[in-house]
Amino acid sequence: MAAIDMLEQAMNEVSAGKRIAYLGPEVSALSGGGAPTSPAALCAIIEAQVRAPRRASGNLWSVAQYVESRKFRDTLDTLVRDAFAPAAACANPVHDWLARVRPPMVVDTWYDDGLLRAFERVRDWGLVQGVSRNGEWIDIFTRAYDSAGTEVGEASPDWKTLLYKPHGLARPDASFLISDSDYVEVLTEIDIQRPIPEEVQRRRTGRPLLFLGCRFDDQMLRTFARQIGKRSAEGHVAVMPGPLTRMEARFLDELGITWLDLPVAALSEMLTVPEG
């Protein structure tokens, strides 16, 4: 089967609630605008404001840790939120499509709010996002919100769609994981699944993942994908253009992921074809 046909089949399974879309920053890039669309781009924006030591330079998590340690967390939060302040230049076909088909769950691993804005036009959904423990005095990994933006105790099994942003959300009323210290407790506990909400675990069961616009050239990103996909179904598919790094190829092989050597733009073109 041709790669584009396999992609169409996987998308149909997402639409039918049989597969979970797992979005990376390249999906957010389809919105255009001036917000960063990769860890490297976000890192460059931060380093343009705060000069990081050579040992950290180019690594988003390490640069963020340097800023947090030397300039305080408020400075880091402001830099990241300002980076994501520019408005989208156009509608995002993937976000809009997901809001139309309303699958049981979407995992969105980038910091922008594009997916939430697409879902604002529909009802009966909720958000679970990862939160930084910086400044927190309670044992917390995530917060949950209903579609009106009201914080609730936990994700509801009655929500038609659960939007899961494991790394958080970079806007003024939200929190996000970005520094090494943000991730240290999460990564310590993630193997036993404690940072992953029970409703997320329930909805992933029996459903393979469709990775869209992700790269797995960083150990932390691979760890999150591996643990979020734990106990889901076999048959994952990843859409990303080659060449793959050695570690990406090893990761896809380890999880039995079918690799479709296609750009995310191929998905965009598929979704913007007039209906009928």
Side-chain angles (χ1 to χ4, degrees):
M1 184 184 294
I4 195 69
D5 295 328
M6 295 178 69
L7 172 56
E8 184 172 8
Q9 178 178 311
M11 293 299 293
N12 288 338
E13 291 168 353
V14 171
S15 180
K18 298 178 180 179
R19 181 181 292 273
I20 295 169
Y22 187 111
L23 312 182
E26 291 178 18
V27 170
S28 297
L30 298 174
S31 300
T37 55
S38 70
L42 178 55
C43 186
I45 289 173
I46 295 173
E47 289 196 72
Q49 301 296 316
V50 179
R51 185 176 179 179
R54 183 176 299 179
R55 68 179 184 279
S57 183
N59 182 290
L60 175 59
W61 337 115
S62 297
V63 167
Q65 184 62 52
Y66 176 80
V67 175
E68 181 176 291
S69 301
R70 298 300 180 91
K71 303 289 184 178
F72 304 112
R73 180 68 187 207
D74 285 348
T75 299
L76 175 61
D77 286 349
T78 298
L79 289 174
V80 175
R81 287 169 178 156
D82 286 352
F84 285 93
C90 58
N92 188 301
V94 177
H95 292 163
D96 289 348
W97 174 76
L98 288 166
R100 287 197 305 272
V101 301
R102 310 290 308 282
M105 184 166 71
V106 181
V107 181
D108 184 7
T109 64
W110 199 226
Y111 298 105
D112 69 299
D113 65 354
L115 183 64
L116 274 67
R117 286 187 284 105
F119 269 79
E120 286 174 353
R121 298 188 292 271
V122 299
R123 289 180 160 186
D124 196 18
W125 58 275
L127 165 71
V128 175
Q129 65 155 92
V131 297
S132 170
R133 288 194 172 191
N134 188 285
E136 294 282 358
W137 297 97
I138 56 177
D139 184 23
I140 186 173
F141 290 104
T142 61
R143 294 188 188 278
Y145 303 85
D146 64 19
S147 58
T150 302
E151 185 173 352
V152 295
E154 59 185 14
S156 171
D158 295 328
W159 289 342
K160 183 174 178 61
T161 303
L162 190 162
L163 306 182
Y164 178 41
K165 292 183 73 71
H167 301 277
L169 186 60
R171 64 183 186 186
D173 57 345
S175 179
F176 49 86
L177 309 175
I178 193 166
S179 66
D180 282 336
S181 60
D182 283 338
Y183 285 108
V184 66
E185 288 189 75
V186 176
L187 294 176
T188 299
E189 300 280 348
I190 200 168
D191 189 53
I192 59 173
Q193 300 283 286
R194 200 162 77 87
I196 301 176
E198 289 185 8
E199 185 62 18
V200 171
Q201 296 184 43
R202 187 186 72 81
R203 295 192 186 216
R204 75 183 173 193
T205 302
R207 297 180 172 107
L209 307 181
L210 173 60
F211 297 101
L212 297 170
C214 306
R215 299 305 307 197
F216 299 112
D217 51 1
D218 181 280
Q219 182 178 357
M220 192 271 292
L221 299 177
R222 292 192 296 271
T223 297
F224 265 72
R226 182 183 294 110
Q227 296 299 332
I228 291 172
K230 184 179 284 186
R231 302 188 185 93
S232 59
E234 296 181 351
H236 306 309
V237 174
V239 178
M240 56 183 182
L244 302 178
T245 67
R246 180 177 63 86
M247 294 308 295
E248 283 180 321
R250 178 181 293 181
F251 175 75
L252 297 186
D253 182 66
E254 173 194 341
L255 268 66
I257 300 172
T258 298
W259 172 41
L260 304 183
D261 187 1
L262 295 169
V264 174
L267 176 58
S268 177
E269 292 170 6
M270 180 186 299
L271 295 175
T272 54
V273 173
E275 296 181 3

